Amino acid sequence: MGGGIGQWLLYRAGDGSLSLFSLVVPAGSQTPIHDHLAWGLVGLYRGTQDEEIYAEGGGVLELVEHRSLRPGDFYALIPPHDDIHRVRTTSAETSVSLHLLTNDTGCVWRHAYDAESGETRPFRSGYVNVACGEDDPPQHSH
Ligand SMILES: [Fe+2]
């Protein structure tokens, strides 16, 4: 994901229907705007984060909500709403959040979005500690 950001797998179901992972984001780093394609729960364990939630309509991204998170806060990701967001660490220390999602989030091909144009590109975050299969990215990012 760049910026020294790492996604660490803690558990995943053998059939890919569930994954539990931590997201480690250094101070000042932010993720690309991305989706998850599955519902899930996210809780902040350490540090503070700003989260921007976007909605997609007609190929354009709209910022619909902004949240500041402290340790102990959690939120739900429920597609198609609340599934596109960007996370940035606002604390001087690295932030660590815990994610429980109903897919193998690190290994499935998702979408990253360009904030200006709303264009998507195939996005697979991977895991720092576990390999994904060698699936090619989708031909089209719709
Ligand atoms: Fe996310």
Side-chain angles (χ1 to χ4, degrees):
M1 252 183 276
I5 298 171
Q7 190 168 325
W8 295 76
L9 183 69
L10 302 171
Y11 169 80
R12 71 178 158 192
D15 64 359
S17 63
L18 191 73
S19 60
L20 176 66
F21 58 89
S22 63
L23 182 70
V24 178
V25 183
S29 284
Q30 67 178 5
T31 66
I33 300 171
H34 63 273
D35 61 12
H36 309 81
L37 307 179
W39 72 265
L41 293 170
V42 181
L44 188 59
Y45 175 71
R46 198 180 84 178
T48 56
Q49 293 178 344
D50 273 359
E51 186 205 11
E52 293 173 345
I53 300 99
Y54 293 84
E56 184 185 24
V60 176
L61 274 183
E62 184 189 356
L63 177 65
V64 292
E65 197 178 340
H66 173 264
R67 293 191 275 234
S68 295
L69 300 164
R70 300 177 305 165
D73 290 343
F74 74 96
Y75 56 88
L77 298 166
I78 306 176
H81 302 294
D82 302 327
D83 191 42
I84 304 172
H85 73 167
R86 169 160 67 187
V87 170
R88 181 169 62 93
T89 293
T90 52
S91 50
E93 64 174 348
T94 295
S95 73
V96 180
S97 49
L98 292 170
H99 302 237
L100 181 68
L101 279 113
T102 53
N103 64 2
D104 187 5
T105 312
C107 290
V108 297
W109 283 100
R110 302 184 269 148
H111 306 93
Y113 295 75
D114 183 273
E116 305 287 306
S117 67
E119 282 179 16
T120 63
R121 62 179 170 84
F123 170 67
R124 183 161 76 165
S125 53
Y127 298 112
V128 176
N129 57 329
V130 178
C132 294
E134 291 303 313
D135 294 342
D136 290 328
Q139 289 293 330
H140 302 284
S141 57
H142 81 77

